[in-house]
Amino acid sequence: MQEPRPEENGAVTDAPRDLVDYVEQYRALPFEPLQIAFRRRRVLARVAAHGPRRLLEIGCGESPIFLDLPGLETVVVEPAPAFAANARRLADGRPEVTVLERYAEDLDASDGPFDMVVVSCLLHEVPDPQRLLAAARRLCAAGGVLHVNVPSARSLHRLLAVAMGLIPDVTTESDTQRTMQQRGVYDAAGLEGELHRAGFAVTHRGSIFVKPFTHAQMQHLVDEQFLTSQMLDGLDALALLLPDLGSELWMDAEPVDA
């Protein structure tokens, strides 16, 4: 399954996003399972902080968050067939969970409202983030919350690469970005601006996991047993002290009146 990739001027090009290849690359990406674990920890903490009665997860990957949210009414929207099929299997016996194999943009207000909408590690991958955020706003209840997280342009490993002269600036496209068909990378101001343009006001923010090196280098250090679980937990805790250096940014935002 593929989706068109619009250019900045709104014209659709013939450069599609290959979701089958994306799933294969996602599963092979080094260190990503550990990165996912720390990301998930923060998402679940934000869900607990808001206590929604009805939640929408847009894009679930291989491990939808409803696995850790027993009893919570949850709708999962996932366009990648392999991920959607896996989510349906995991939702078997969970009548409060609905899995839809489609794009969130195809939903309308009648499918909502949701007290919380989660867009985890996705906004930087879609060709038109404003279209996705418009769908999230349409589906978010008045007084509800949108939780978004994305890789950070100012992650320590990117700053180190600039300092070493390996890349000219922190926005330079990485090998991982090319492999994962990612559109770009956000800094905090850029992410907040994106949310503001879509009609959201940011209420809470932070980062996760200070990652000193690339995914491949981090995986090597784990494989060599240099990086212990205690060190990894410490690097995640460090993001609370040094939020500007975390590998990923997260923000909670509320829809505002137009």
Side-chain angles (χ1 to χ4, degrees):
M1 182 180 296
Q2 298 177 334
E3 65 178 319
R5 185 187 301 275
E7 298 287 6
E8 290 183 358
N9 63 6
V12 176
T13 76
D14 59 358
R17 183 165 178 247
D18 187 336
L19 292 182
V20 174
D21 180 69
Y22 171 81
V23 169
E24 292 176 356
Q25 299 297 338
Y26 178 94
R27 288 171 170 167
L29 193 63
F31 195 72
E32 188 62 15
L34 284 168
Q35 186 80 22
I36 289 171
F38 288 111
R39 182 187 308 137
R40 185 185 192 86
R41 180 185 296 180
R42 198 70 83 249
V43 172
L44 291 171
R46 298 315 301 162
V47 173
H50 293 287
R53 293 168 296 177
R54 191 166 189 247
L55 182 143
L56 173 65
E57 182 177 17
I58 299 178
C60 65
E62 293 203 282
S63 186
I65 60 174
F66 67 72
L67 293 173
D68 292 313
L69 298 170
L72 178 63
E73 184 180 354
T74 302
V75 174
V76 175
V77 181
E78 173 55 68
F83 290 158
N86 180 62
R88 284 194 295 270
R89 179 182 62 82
L90 294 171
D92 187 41
R94 296 279 302 272
E96 76 278 17
V97 176
T98 302
V99 179
L100 304 174
E101 186 180 323
R102 65 181 71 169
Y103 292 100
E105 294 90 332
D106 295 332
L107 303 182
D108 58 38
S110 65
D111 294 298
F114 295 90
D115 303 304
M116 189 168 189
V117 178
V118 174
V119 181
S120 183
C121 203
L122 179 62
L123 197 64
H124 60 296
E125 295 182 342
V126 298
D128 188 347
Q130 282 297 307
R131 187 164 176 257
L132 175 60
L133 289 172
R137 190 177 187 279
R138 186 168 63 245
L139 295 162
C140 194
V145 62
L146 168 70
H147 175 83
V148 174
N149 57 62
V150 294
S152 173
R154 298 194 63 79
S155 170
L156 179 58
H157 83 283
R158 284 182 172 269
L159 292 170
L160 178 59
V162 172
M164 293 173 64
L166 300 177
I167 57 175
D169 61 70
V170 293
T171 63
T172 301
E173 186 181 49
S174 68
D175 291 340
T176 296
Q177 285 177 283
R178 285 188 289 272
T179 298
M180 300 305 296
Q181 308 172 51
Q182 294 174 359
R183 175 178 50 80
V185 63
Y186 288 98
D187 60 13
L191 180 57
E192 183 168 11
E194 193 84 87
L195 293 172
H196 178 75
R197 285 190 295 276
F200 288 95
V202 173
T203 58
H204 300 84
R205 69 184 71 207
S207 71
I208 70 164
F209 195 75
V210 175
K211 182 165 75 83
F213 310 113
T214 67
H215 263 33
Q217 291 166 334
M218 294 293 290
Q219 186 63 55
H220 175 74
L221 293 175
V222 170
D223 292 343
E224 293 294 315
Q225 299 183 350
F226 175 81
L227 280 177
T228 66
S229 59
Q230 186 177 14
M231 288 178 178
L232 293 169
D233 284 339
L235 288 170
D236 189 41
L238 193 58
L240 299 175
L241 300 174
L242 301 170
D244 293 339
L245 297 181
S247 57
E248 297 184 10
L249 304 168
W250 65 265
M251 292 185 182
D252 290 349
E254 297 178 352
V256 295
D257 294 333

